[in-house]
């Protein structure tokens, strides 16, 4: 049996490759965008641009994967404001290309589509915790494209009897995450301060937003569980079920850093629109798979700080 991870060269892909090896125990093929490099041990690496409509079906026919994980995306909210066209092309048209290729196969692989908790968008306090059937009110272009991905997959699963399971994954964090994302950004700044590379001030955006942060190593275990036990056509929240104020995360990072650090609001880091609280109800996921997150927040932050401490090349301006 074989697993294929599409869009594996990003943050989640290498962790997922390891989880597939450990949990699904099958041969793994991963794809990266042509012209880019990635170094994931123990897997076969192939090129695939999901915008290249004609390239997906031959690759699937060639590899014949039983499990397919769709991670490929323009995944940054802030970039989606700056480049909405690219975000729509990759996340909507690219996903449609993949769905059409899978539909044309002579067999029915199990496919996991990685979506986002951002899809829920504007949430009233009485809608917390958010259930999967919650009405979607996306608050940014990235969220809108991921909602589109989810709806297309849901239509294809029903219309063509495809084995598609969709996630709405809430914020992930872990060693190796791009500093475009908030926890990684703060950890990087803290280590730069420890090493005397910036003045002792962490520059922050909106600290009062509450988000649900899950260690990426827990997230990928959720994905391997869901692709096995999720019901086709269904959507599952993936998160801890407990939102935390960004300010508390920052406090924890400062507490775990060896430097003395002040905090300053940087207007450039404030998003045009922000959603105050996003917190999932995890009942459906738990009932389907029995998955719960296992890594404590403090451990994740320690590992992220250590990752920056050991990789000076990630600290340069
Ligand atoms: O930008 P690159 O070269 O690293 O490639 C990214 C890849 N990707 C594509 N792959 C194939 N064809 C494309 N046209 C294309 N455009 C982008 O998707 C990258 O390797 C991968 C996404 O990785 P990250 O941006 O690091 O996202 P992450 O955190 O791994 O999240 C995985 C999935 C995404 O669908 C998120 O929206 C979702 O989980 O939450």
């Amino acid at each position: 049996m074989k697993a294929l991870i599409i869009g594996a060269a990003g943050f989640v892909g290498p962790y997922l490759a390891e989880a597939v090896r450990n949990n699904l125990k099958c041969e793994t093929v991963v794809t990266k965008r042509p012209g880019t490099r990635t170094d994931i041990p123990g897997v076969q690496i192939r090129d695939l641009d999901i915008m290249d409509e004609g390239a997906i079906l031959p690759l699937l026919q060639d590899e014949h994967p039983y499990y397919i994980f769709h991670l490929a995306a323009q995944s940054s909210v802030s970039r989606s404001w700056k480049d909405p066209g690219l975000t729509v092309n990759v996340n909507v048209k690219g996903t449609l290309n993949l769905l059409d290729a899978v539909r044309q196969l002579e067999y029915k692989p199990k496919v996991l589509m990685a979506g986002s908790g951002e899809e829920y968008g504007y949430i009233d306090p009485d809608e917390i915790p958010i259930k999967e059937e919650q009405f979607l009110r996306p608050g940014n272009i990235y969220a809108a494209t991921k909602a589109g991905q989810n709806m297309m997959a849901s239509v294809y699963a029903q219309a063509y009897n495809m084995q598609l399971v969709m996630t709405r994954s809430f914020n992930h964090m872990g060693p190796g995450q791009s500093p475009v994302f908030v926890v990684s950004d703060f950890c990087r700044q803290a280590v730069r301060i420890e090493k005397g590379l910036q003045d002792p001030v962490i520059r922050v955006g909106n600290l009062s937003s509450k988000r649900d942060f899950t260690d990426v190593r827990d997230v990928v275990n959720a994905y391997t569980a869901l692709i096995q036990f999720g019901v086709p056509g269904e959507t599952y929240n993936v998160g801890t079920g407990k939102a935390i104020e960004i300010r508390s995360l920052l406090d924890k990072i400062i507490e775990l850093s060896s430097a003395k650090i002040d905090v300053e609001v940087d207007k450039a880091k404030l998003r045009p629109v922000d959603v105050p609280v996003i917190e999932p109800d995890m009942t459906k996921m738990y009932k389907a798979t029995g998955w719960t997150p296992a890594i404590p927040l403090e451990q994740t932050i320690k590992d992220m700080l250590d990752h920056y401490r050991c990789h000076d090349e990630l600290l340069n301006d």
Side-chain angles (χ1 to χ4, degrees), residues 146-179:
K146 284 288 173 174
Q149 167 178 299
N150 179 281
M151 288 173 189
M152 289 188 305
S154 157
V155 168
Y156 269 57
Q158 201 176 16
Y160 304 116
N161 195 26
M162 288 162 68
Q163 299 201 76
L164 309 170
V165 172
M166 292 76 83
T167 77
R168 292 210 181 97
S169 311
F170 289 71
N171 301 58
H172 330 335
M173 57 183 174
Q177 186 176 33
S178 159

Side-chain angles (χ1 to χ4, degrees), residues 3 5 8 11-30 39-43 69 71 175 215-224 295:
I5 304 174
F11 175 49
V12 175
Y15 287 105
L16 181 57
E18 199 182 332
V20 166
R21 232 186 351 267
N22 294 338
N23 303 342
L24 302 179
K25 314 230 180 287
C26 52
E27 187 188 341
T28 309
V29 180
V30 308
D39 187 21
I40 303 177
V43 300
F69 295 89
L71 301 182
D215 190 298
V216 64
R217 294 162 287 193
D218 280 324
V219 170
V220 293
N221 286 333
Y223 289 177
T224 57
I295 303 172

Side-chain angles (χ1 to χ4, degrees), residues 123-195:
I123 291 295
D124 290 335
D126 63 357
E127 293 169 329
I128 297 286
I130 309 164
K131 291 193 166 53
E132 287 81 353
E133 57 269 26
Q134 168 66 42
F135 184 76
L136 304 180
R137 307 180 198 101
N140 58 66
I141 297 298
Y142 167 74
T145 62
K146 284 288 173 174
Q149 167 178 299
N150 179 281
M151 288 173 189
M152 289 188 305
S154 157
V155 168
Y156 269 57
Q158 201 176 16
Y160 304 116
N161 195 26
M162 288 162 68
Q163 299 201 76
L164 309 170
V165 172
M166 292 76 83
T167 77
R168 292 210 181 97
S169 311
F170 289 71
N171 301 58
H172 330 335
M173 57 183 174
Q177 186 176 33
S178 159
V180 167
F181 297 94
V182 64
V183 182
S184 192
D185 174 26
F186 292 168
C187 287
R188 180 174 177 274
Q189 290 193 57
V191 174
R192 276 174 55 84
I193 293 167
E194 287 177 4
K195 298 200 176 207

